[in-house]
Amino acid sequence: MSVERRLGRDPATKDAYYCFMDEYLQLGHMKKFVDPVDDDQPHCYIPHHAVFKESSTSTKVRVVFDASCKTSSGYSLNDTLLVGPVVQEDLLSIVLCFRCVAIVTDVEKMYWQMLHSPEDRKFLRIRFRINSNDPISTYELQTVTYGTASAPYLATRTLQQIARDNGHQFPAAVDPVIYDFYVDDFLSGTDDVESAIEVRQQVTSMLKTAGFPIKKWASNVPHVLHGVPSEDLAVQPLHELQDEQAVSTLGLMWAPRTDALRFKVQLPPPTIVLTKRKMTSYIAVLQLWWPNYSCRVYGH
């Protein structure tokens, strides 16, 4: 009801929120209970709220499920989950290999493509209703959920298993899928155009067999993307590009035309007081890539 009150003050956000949840339901990512809910067995209810991402080319408003919210037991769902080991390369290693003939893409709605085991879904319950006049209903989330501590491991481990299971059929895609993905972002590079085309085609085909659609392709060599549908491209064809157009990946901005990596920090408008806390937040963006970077913030 608290979420409903907040959404009631912003009709546009409310419509986007309910459209997101309706799509979630229609695609089978959550399921409504039609029978009485058995709350006597171990279970968990997760709160949800809206987040805004103006830079997104697809969904500006997303619904986030807050599995870190403390429950009546004093613990959150994330407090009780194992997060799994790190199975991917570190960010810097991936970017260092991303040279010569470079290609980037990502898996569309990656978490949504993987179902949770039925016996685990009772820990992924939410309360929701489309119409404020209707009774509040209980739903169970069916797929790997963004906001749960185990989600990144489950997603990346699944990708690697796909590569191992299908390596005999798509040999050129095995190493790129295992070593060049960071969660759903793919950054790879080869020494020549022919190899880059082969990697792109085999990665697309291999992941498609497992239900992982690939979108937002970009490259610093236009010929590498020949034959890719326009709706699957991250930017316009290279000859139409403007210098300022770039692709967002791994917290960086990459301009295919100039093959330049840039940092993008959203500073507040001049009317907003720039506090030490906010300045520290902006510096943290740089420290993600330069751990040894330091800056002293002076205040009055």
Side-chain angles (χ1 to χ4, degrees):
M1 286 187 281
S2 175
V3 171
E4 286 182 348
R5 287 193 293 271
R6 290 198 298 270
L7 294 176
R9 295 191 288 267
D10 187 345
T13 300
K14 179 180 179 180
D15 290 343
Y17 195 97
Y18 286 171
C19 283
F20 185 101
M21 294 296 274
D22 184 63
E23 180 188 24
Y24 217 71
L25 180 62
Q26 297 303 321
L27 292 176
H29 303 309
M30 69 180 184
K31 184 178 180 180
K32 183 179 179 179
F33 271 92
V34 293
D35 299 322
V37 181
D38 179 12
D39 280 341
D40 290 334
Q41 61 179 329
H43 63 279
C44 183
Y45 286 92
I46 305 175
H48 46 90
H49 60 270
V51 296
F52 304 88
K53 188 176 182 182
E54 291 298 330
S55 61
S56 175
T57 58
S58 54
T59 308
K60 302 293 184 183
V61 177
R62 295 181 183 272
V63 177
V64 169
F65 302 99
D66 186 8
S68 293
C69 181
K70 301 293 185 182
T71 67
S72 58
S73 67
Y75 296 92
S76 68
L77 176 63
N78 281 345
D79 288 336
T80 67
L81 287 176
L82 296 175
V83 298
V86 177
V87 294
Q88 289 186 313
E89 298 295 313
D90 62 90
L91 288 170
L92 184 58
S93 297
I94 292 176
V95 172
L96 289 177
C97 294
F98 169 61
R99 306 314 314 135
C100 299
V101 182
I103 49 177
V104 303
T105 188
D106 63 43
V107 180
E108 184 182 31
K109 299 176 180 176
M110 182 177 182
Y111 289 178
W112 292 13
Q113 315 303 338
M114 292 167 284
L115 286 171
H116 269 298
S117 298
E119 60 268 22
D120 293 331
R121 296 172 191 169
K122 58 181 174 289
F123 299 106
L124 297 168
R125 291 179 181 172
I126 67 168
R127 301 281 277 165
F128 180 66
R129 60 183 175 186
I130 295 291
N131 192 319
S132 59
N133 295 321
D134 294 336
I136 299 176
S137 299
T138 297
Y139 296 80
E140 277 187 355
L141 306 182
Q142 307 290 294
T143 55
V144 171
T145 304
Y146 185 81
T148 54
S150 58
Y153 170 75
L154 294 174
T156 56
R157 181 63 181 84
T158 299
L159 277 183
Q160 296 193 352
Q161 191 62 46
I162 293 170
R164 295 185 175 97
D165 290 346
N166 296 277
H168 62 286
Q169 188 177 358
F170 306 102
V174 176
D175 283 351
V177 169
I178 291 177
Y179 299 110
D180 296 343
F181 261 104
Y182 193 84
V183 192
D184 61 343
D185 287 327
F186 177 74
L187 292 87
S188 190
T190 65
D191 294 330
D192 55 79
V193 173
E194 289 72 21
S195 298
I197 294 174
E198 186 72 10
V199 167
R200 176 182 63 78
Q201 292 174 339
Q202 291 203 19
V203 167
T204 300
S205 298
M206 183 171 73
L207 295 184
K208 185 178 180 180
T209 64
F212 286 91
I214 301 295
K215 300 288 184 179
K216 300 180 182 178
W217 284 101
S219 176
N220 57 346
V221 180
H223 187 64
V224 172
L225 304 178
H226 181 71
V228 177
S230 58
E231 62 270 18
D232 293 341
L233 295 175
V235 293
Q236 299 173 9
L238 198 61
H239 66 275
E240 299 177 11
L241 276 173
Q242 302 298 319
D243 287 341
E244 66 271 11
Q245 287 191 296
V247 179
S248 176
T249 184
L250 296 186
L252 297 172
M253 300 301 295
W254 178 57
R257 184 174 185 177
T258 57
D259 196 13
L261 289 168
R262 305 167 182 166
F263 292 101
K264 183 177 181 180
V265 179
Q266 294 283 1
L267 294 176
T271 55
I272 301 297
V273 177
L274 190 60
T275 64
K276 287 189 286 185
R277 176 176 293 181
K278 291 178 181 177
M279 194 65 189
T280 303
S281 174
Y282 302 137
I283 293 172
V285 175
L286 299 179
Q287 289 180 324
L288 173 66
W289 289 101
W290 296 332
N292 295 324
Y293 175 86
S294 62
C295 176
R296 179 170 294 176
V297 181
Y298 294 92
H300 298 286

